[in-house]
Amino acid sequence: MSVSARRLPGRSVPARVRPAAVPRLAPLYVGAVQLGAYAAARLPGRRRTELLRAHSTNVVNLRAGRWRTLATSALLVERPLPLPYAAALLTVLGTAEARWGVRRAAGVFAAGHAGASLLVYAGLRGRVRTDPPDATARAVDVGVSYGFHATLGALAAAVPHRRTRAVAATGLLALGALPVLRRTRTFTDAGHLAATALGVLCGAGSARRAGSS
């Protein structure tokens, strides 16, 4: 009899011990974004602005068919992330990865980032001047916030208890709507609300499938 199959007196040996899921992609992603921000901060001001603008999901780039910016814009930020924000981002992305796995967590992040970017583009396209392009059409629009809001919304909408789930998702949507209702709102505020809504939809779909399985 092998050692693993023996039973000690008064004890039972479990057949399989499932290791805890440890997030790996989330720390790598947050670390890469932060290191890239520190590296970009060392560039001359004009060159740094050109770099960020070239990878922005602004009207000029998307109208010109530069769809790669839907991916590259999530790898750059305008300035290094404040440590509390970086910690919150790592916590949310790491929780999603540990709970759902890399593929699904990355899918929610990507859907929120790209989906919100496209919705903002659709809303701005007919309202800004592109010939010559105005400041909004050429705006620097990069960062992690759309994916962050989407992932947070998905986690809230996937809470096991129905009442808690409804309160969490509704609360996040209400918080996201407040900046949009102000006179000083920006298109980024609308993007955050759109990303949260997309994340809630993703999370609600997952909760529905889990309930029916």
Side-chain angles (χ1 to χ4, degrees), residues 67-174:
W67 303 110
R68 69 181 185 280
T69 60
L70 291 172
T72 59
S73 58
L75 302 174
L76 298 169
V77 289
E78 292 189 57
R79 58 188 60 85
L81 301 174
L83 290 182
Y85 187 90
L89 176 67
L90 179 58
T91 299
V92 169
L93 299 188
T95 300
E97 183 181 342
R99 182 172 181 180
W100 300 328
V102 171
R103 184 176 300 179
R104 185 174 157 201
V108 170
F109 183 95
H113 178 79
S117 298
L118 289 172
L119 288 172
V120 168
Y121 167 63
L124 291 176
R125 181 171 178 173
R127 299 173 55 187
V128 300
R129 189 179 69 245
T130 56
D131 189 20
D134 61 15
T136 301
R138 299 176 64 248
V140 171
D141 190 14
V142 297
V144 300
S145 61
Y146 289 173
F148 172 64
H149 280 76
T151 305
L152 186 60
L155 286 172
V159 171
H161 302 289
R162 182 178 298 178
R163 185 171 297 178
T164 306
R165 180 164 70 229
V167 170
T170 303
L172 282 178
L173 290 171

Side-chain angles (χ1 to χ4, degrees), residues 53-67 69 137:
R53 194 165 278 156
H55 294 280
S56 294
T57 53
N58 56 33
V59 174
V60 169
N61 282 337
L62 292 181
R63 176 169 277 186
R66 301 185 187 106
W67 303 110
T69 60

